Amino acid sequence: MLPEHAPFTSDQRRALDSLLAALDPVQRGWLSGFLAASGSAVAPAPVVAASGKLTVLYGTESGNSEVLADRTVKTAKKRGFQAVMKNMSEIAPADLAKASNLLVIVSTWGDGEPPETAISFYKEFVASEVSLASVKFSVCALGDTSYEKFCQTGKDFDAKLEKLGATRIAARVDCDVDYEESYATWLEVSLSALAPTISAPVIVDVPASVGTTAYGKKNPFPSETLDTVILNGEGSHKETIHLEFSLAASGLSYEPGDALAVVPVNAPDVVKAVLQAAKLTGNEEIEVKNVGRKLLADALREDYDITALSRAVLTKLAEAADSATLRALLAEDAKECLKEFNDGREIIDALLAFAPSGLSAESLTGIFRKLPPRLYSIASSPLAHSDEVHLTVAAVRYQTHGRERKGVCSTYLANLVKSGNPVQVFVQPNKNFRLPADGGTPVIMVGPGTGVAPFRAFVEHRAALGSTGKNWLFFGDQHYTYDFLYQLEWQDFLKDGVLTRLDVAFSRDQPEKVYVQDRMIEQAKDLYQWLQEGAHFYVCGDANRMAHDVHEALISIVENQAAITREAAEAYVEDLKKTKRYQRDVY
Ligand SMILES: Cc1cc2nc3c(=O)[nH]c(=O)nc-3n(C[C@H](O)[C@H](O)[C@H](O)COP(=O)(O)OP(=O)(O)OC[C@H]3O[C@@H](n4cnc5c(N)ncnc54)[C@H](O)[C@@H]3O)c2cc1C
Ligand SMILES: NC(=O)c1ccc[n+]([C@@H]2O[C@H](COP(=O)([O-])OP(=O)(O)OC[C@H]3O[C@@H](n4cnc5c(N)ncnc54)[C@H](OP(=O)(O)O)[C@@H]3O)[C@@H](O)[C@H]2O)c1
Ligand SMILES: Cc1cc2nc3c(=O)[nH]c(=O)nc-3n(C[C@H](O)[C@H](O)[C@H](O)COP(=O)(O)O)c2cc1C
């Protein structure tokens, strides 16, 4: 029965009651959730305690899924569930058979892969044959539409759960970087479906901001730029910038290993090119969702992602520009052609190719998603620089298809001047990249290029704490003369005995490439000795090639030094991961 005070006429009520009576409990729960999510069932009914147990399983790399899992548990508890939160790094697939109600929140990383801490669980799960016939589930997949394999890990979990006999109680949602709305609807529908007796709308727990501050993801802190220093010498091929921001009076706090999220703005020349391609002036007034009315030029600068090309953007553009050519490119059998078109191209190229007559201001903004913040590993210790946060940023500049391109956020940061306009920031904690709790434990850090950033934070922190553990850094970049990031600081730390060892690999100072993993192999005996002494092993930087090659080098070092089989060496390294002695922050 519909609640008495549901906003329907008596005729509507009768029709809906007979419809509800014809549905099974799961369908009824889903419908009531849907009505609540769409705002139809506005009047709250008394909450009947759900007796069900609920497992909220999450897999995360940068913390978003964990925050949502936490919110899911809190919201479910308010609905009467006995809800528990489980990290994929902590459980085995067989444990899922005991979960009668299961909500999965998982992101996708790399090129369609699970997040770092969920890799082992994922591998075991896809190979598992455990029966989940008594499990009811739904999946919330986090991802980014600019990646070809959008939400792939969530899709894999969803399909495998079904294959193992579990019952899907609500359809999977695939969330883009701006996931709040899709998540809230998914949660509403899922909890309602799991507790069909409850007709009260879900009140999603409002995200707690970091610490006691009101600043956070939903309300970034306008930070003053205290200093910017170009870290490369003249003649370098790189443009790496050290930035210092003020956190004074923000209430924001961080730990070494955390990242700082920066909310960028688009460059004026890129805004101008998009306006020209769309045949608009920028003076048109438009409505920006959750922001209000604005001039188009301002909205393109501040609110929209006007560069990252994806299937999602092209699908909307095909409609906005009514382009048959683009529709053909989006056809199922044209996937390879679409991939080829997207390679090295941005939204501006698509506008020029498929909207030759231009677009209205509304049609243009309709194809964009919200401009996402970018993460940067924090390069400072709060103990060494109170009220400050430092970053090490490589400016992304390249040329493709006859156009000069630039990364939105890295070049925005590279162009910042001291005490110019404030930069909007918030802290993104990363519990999976932490110094050992015991200051006496040795650490090995592998951080080529900007990957060195968190290790500056680690070493500063250990120095400030007076930790006695040994510290070994492997650093690499192109040239000793121009690209030895923070060289003087490392030398000081060596002199003071804080840094025990420093091994460097300058890849382009000799005819053949030399990389950090080559230095690791040269030092294999000592490196293995440190591991045997209990050292923690950290890697930060490029995920595409470096992290993989360093991982392989680590396995081969263990294999050779321990004189064991490759399989045994892999198990040794896997165990390092499981015991959180091998942690990676790769991007
Ligand atoms: C946890 C984490 C920590 C990070 N820490 C750091 C850090 O400490 N320092 C740092 O500099 N970065 C760091 N990054 C990367 C950073 O978040 C941004 O991704 C980076 O600065 C690029 O962002 P952008 O806005 O400048 O570029 P975008 O506008 O996002 O453009 C980047 C895109 O441009 C394209 N592209 C780039 N180069 C080429 C090329 N040569 N040819 C063709 N296409 C290309 C690719 O599609 C790429 O995805 C980190 C990322 C994560 C997730
Ligand atoms: N996901 C990505 O697409 C991604 C990630 C990180 C960085 N980048 C790009 O790289 C630029 C600078 O990044 P960065 O400063 O962090 O440096 P980087 O490009 O990661 O380079 C740092 C050092 O690592 C070396 N290197 C290259 N391949 C390696 C491998 N397989 N194993 C170990 N070392 C390897 C580089 O050598 P050589 O250059 O001589 O080969 C260089 O000496 C930025 O423009 C950024 O866009 C892209
Ligand atoms: C280096 C990198 C690779 C990513 N790869 C993918 C991908 O292949 N597919 C996708 O849908 N999203 C991808 N994403 C987007 C993440 O899934 C998204 O940022 C998500 O919100 C992260 O959630 P988490 O913090 O719980 O890990 C990637 C993000 C980064 C930084």
Side-chain angles (χ1 to χ4, degrees), residues 238 240 394-396 448-451 476-478 505 507-508 513 515-517 542-546 549 587:
K238 311 281 285 277
T240 318
V396 173
T450 53
D477 216 320
Q478 293 180 354
S507 53
R508 303 190 188 186
K513 291 276 172 113
Y515 289 150
V516 280
Q517 60 272 25
D542 172 52
N544 289 342
R545 298 151 299 150
M546 183 277 293
D549 294 349
Y587 43 86

Side-chain angles (χ1 to χ4, degrees), residues 3-55:
E4 272 302 304
H5 39 315
F8 298 108
T9 64
S10 48
D11 282 352
Q12 286 171 330
R13 180 181 302 279
R14 266 193 299 279
L16 279 166
D17 277 344
S18 61
L19 171 64
L20 283 171
L23 300 177
D24 68 28
V26 169
Q27 290 168 324
R28 239 187 338 261
W30 189 91
L31 183 62
S32 93
F34 177 78
L35 289 173
S38 63
S40 302
V42 285
V47 175
V48 181
S51 58
K53 290 189 175 166
L54 173 67
T55 303

Side-chain angles (χ1 to χ4, degrees), residues 60-65 107-110 112 142-144 147 149-151:
T60 189
E61 186 147 337
S62 56
N64 295 331
S65 306
S107 61
T108 298
W109 280 72
L142 295 200
D144 180 336
Y147 287 88
K149 293 181 183 153
F150 175 52
C151 286

Side-chain angles (χ1 to χ4, degrees), residues 61-62 109 146-147 240 259 264 307-308 343-346 372-379 391-400 405-413 430 450-451 453-454 540 585-587:
E61 186 147 337
S62 56
W109 280 72
S146 70
Y147 287 88
T240 318
T307 52
D343 189 24
R345 288 195 169 84
E346 296 177 304
R374 268 66 167 176
L375 298 181
Y376 294 92
S377 314
I378 291 177
L391 304 181
T392 314
V393 176
V396 173
R397 299 185 200 277
Y398 58 98
Q399 202 195 44
T400 46
R405 319 271 177 178
K406 53 189 175 200
V408 174
C409 193
S410 59
T411 58
Y412 160 68
L413 290 171
N430 183 356
T450 53
C540 181
D585 174 23
V586 295
Y587 43 86

Side-chain angles (χ1 to χ4, degrees), residues 303-351:
D303 300 300
Y304 293 117
D305 181 347
I306 60 172
T307 52
L309 194 56
S310 64
R311 174 179 278 274
V313 167
L314 289 176
T315 305
K316 288 184 231 156
L317 180 61
E319 290 317 304
D322 194 16
S323 165
T325 326
L326 184 48
R327 274 192 212 105
L329 191 62
L330 288 161
E332 269 303 299
D333 58 1
K335 276 191 178 153
E336 279 309 308
C337 297
L338 179 67
K339 199 170 161 189
E340 204 176 302
F341 178 81
N342 282 355
D343 189 24
R345 288 195 169 84
E346 296 177 304
I347 289 178
I348 182 72
D349 305 88
L351 288 173

